[in-house]
Amino acid sequence: MPFVVDTIQVEPEHVAAYIAAVEQHGLPVMTEAGAVFVSCATTSADFGAPVDVQVVWSFDDHAQWNVIRKNLVLDPRWYGYAQTVAALRTGGTRRFYYPVGFSS
């Protein structure tokens, strides 16, 4: 089962708003599109540096990921969510990860 791992940088004062947007808007639209929520975690805001927010989703295979992407494009909520989180972030990455044989 592959994973989509979004690692987004936000300023410390925007972390709560970013996490709230993921929970209240991203979670419903992504899960209804077919993705499975795995986790959300942050680095510490105590160092005065930008905070990384990591959000992990899983899916069965890339055929399913293409269906998820299609569902997102057709859902107007996706655009509102994307606009909200884009205003809060300063950078980030999206990577696809694949478990290795000895990993759960």
Side-chain angles (χ1 to χ4, degrees):
M1 173 178 298
F3 298 93
V4 171
V5 180
D6 293 325
T7 305
I8 306 302
Q9 284 188 338
V10 297
E11 293 299 328
E13 64 269 18
H14 297 297
V15 172
Y18 192 90
I19 291 171
V22 170
E23 181 180 20
Q24 296 166 11
H25 304 288
L27 195 59
V29 74
M30 287 289 289
T31 56
E32 289 174 30
V36 176
F37 177 73
V38 176
S39 66
C40 181
T42 70
T43 57
S44 176
D46 293 339
F47 302 115
V51 174
D52 285 348
V53 179
Q54 183 186 71
V55 183
V56 181
W57 305 92
S58 68
F59 52 97
D60 292 332
D61 53 32
H62 284 283
Q64 184 190 22
W65 181 248
N66 286 334
V67 171
I68 292 166
R69 288 178 50 217
K70 173 196 62 98
N71 292 341
L72 292 172
V73 168
L74 296 174
D75 190 333
R77 297 175 303 164
W78 174 249
Y79 298 98
Y81 168 64
Q83 187 175 26
T84 298
V85 293
L88 297 170
R89 69 185 201 162
T90 59
T93 62
R94 169 170 274 181
R95 300 286 185 258
F96 290 85
Y97 287 85
Y98 307 86
V100 295
F102 60 85
S103 175
S104 59

